[in-house]
Amino acid sequence: MSEEKFHFEIPKDNIRNIKYDKHGFAPSVQRISHTDHGQKLKAQTQDFITTEFKKKDIEYTSDLYLQIETPEKITIKSQKLKIENLGFELLSFSAKNESIGTAKIGKERLNLFEQRLENYISSPENTGKTYFAPIESISSIPPENKIDETIDYESNERIEIVINLFNAITSKELLAITNSIEAELRQFSNDVKKRNFKNGVASLHCTIQAKIFTTTCN
């Protein structure tokens, strides 16, 4: 079985989409040492990039999707503008933890982000601390956020799955990713069905053993 992974849609039950209003006070986040904090973010960023560029669909999209977390009791929603100043776009907020959100960043913006992070670490005044300080962690989206937590992932039971890829990416990227996922699924299922909707959504449906599904979707 291939160890290469795919990106998959996060179930709607695991996210909450809330309109963001640009008013109110965004609490500042204090750090004992901004330099140490920056070093931690640098290590996390490097781990994230290494993980994402090993994924099988990485060549088909111009964006990287990730999880960003703010400190406990600091909602990520309250820090949205600061985080997006760094080049991220916050897409959704966790339904289970107000400090966690899903974001994306264009591949072409990675270098600029890393340069700003390096400047935050090394400059005498920790330039950019207003924007970096609210970020507690940067990481790949964990598998448990992508699939139903009620499934017994070690069983041989065949489960029904639907994978939806939305039109947040270009038509060319969507087609390439859909075809790649379909080819992968056909290694484990003989009832894969694919449908492209007029609104740009592409959907794949099949049944697959639970223990196989967790291996292919990380």
Side-chain angles (χ1 to χ4, degrees):
M1 187 179 300
S2 172
E3 293 184 358
E4 294 180 288
K5 309 301 181 183
F6 280 114
H7 297 84
F8 281 106
E9 179 208 0
I10 299 174
K12 292 181 176 61
D13 290 342
N14 286 0
I15 64 175
R16 58 191 180 97
N17 293 298
I18 299 175
K19 181 180 178 182
Y20 179 76
D21 297 316
K22 297 167 99 175
H23 62 75
F25 174 69
S28 61
V29 178
Q30 304 300 317
R31 296 289 175 181
I32 296 174
S33 169
H34 288 287
T35 298
D36 290 346
H37 171 248
Q39 291 285 9
K40 183 181 77 169
L41 291 183
K42 181 178 179 179
Q44 292 174 349
T45 300
Q46 291 171 342
D47 288 344
F48 162 71
I49 292 173
T50 299
T51 298
E52 294 305 299
F53 275 84
K54 288 180 179 178
K55 291 185 176 178
K56 206 166 189 177
D57 56 357
I58 190 65
E59 63 185 286
Y60 302 126
T61 177
S62 58
D63 295 312
L64 298 174
Y65 294 82
L66 65 153
Q67 179 172 285
I68 295 178
E69 186 171 357
T70 51
E72 187 179 1
K73 297 182 180 180
I74 300 290
T75 69
I76 192 166
K77 182 180 176 183
S78 72
Q79 305 298 316
K80 182 176 186 290
L81 294 180
K82 297 176 185 177
I83 292 171
E84 292 195 336
N85 178 275
L86 297 172
F88 298 104
E89 179 184 347
L90 278 170
L91 303 173
S92 63
F93 308 107
S94 170
K96 300 175 182 178
N97 186 331
E98 292 188 342
S99 294
I100 293 176
T102 300
K104 72 175 182 178
I105 186 170
K107 292 177 183 175
E108 79 285 353
R109 306 191 75 170
L110 272 179
N111 284 340
L112 178 58
F113 171 76
E114 291 182 292
Q115 289 170 16
R116 292 183 64 180
L117 179 55
E118 194 62 48
N119 199 29
Y120 169 57
I121 294 168
S122 60
S123 61
E125 300 298 323
N126 297 111
T127 303
K129 59 188 175 186
T130 298
Y131 309 110
F132 284 102
I135 301 178
E136 187 66 26
S137 69
I138 293 171
S139 63
S140 297
I141 300 170
E144 58 268 22
N145 285 358
K146 301 180 185 179
I147 50 182
D148 190 342
E149 294 179 346
T150 64
I151 296 171
D152 179 0
Y153 303 129
E154 296 182 357
S155 76
N156 292 317
E157 177 187 2
R158 296 192 70 83
I159 58 173
E160 186 177 24
I161 64 170
V162 177
I163 301 171
N164 293 316
L165 294 97
F166 295 99
N167 58 1
I169 56 179
T170 67
S171 298
K172 183 178 180 180
E173 291 172 340
L174 187 65
L175 178 63
I177 294 172
T178 303
N179 289 343
S180 183
I181 293 176
E182 181 184 11
E184 182 82 4
L185 289 175
R186 289 193 182 280
Q187 297 182 46
F188 311 106
S189 176
N190 58 9
D191 63 351
V192 179
K193 298 179 178 66
K194 181 172 67 173
R195 183 176 179 183
N196 296 310
F197 295 90
K198 290 183 179 180
N199 62 358
V201 173
S203 183
L204 295 106
H205 170 273
C206 70
T207 58
I208 197 169
Q209 283 184 310
K211 65 181 182 180
I212 293 175
F213 183 57
T214 56
T215 303
T216 59
C217 78
N218 283 347

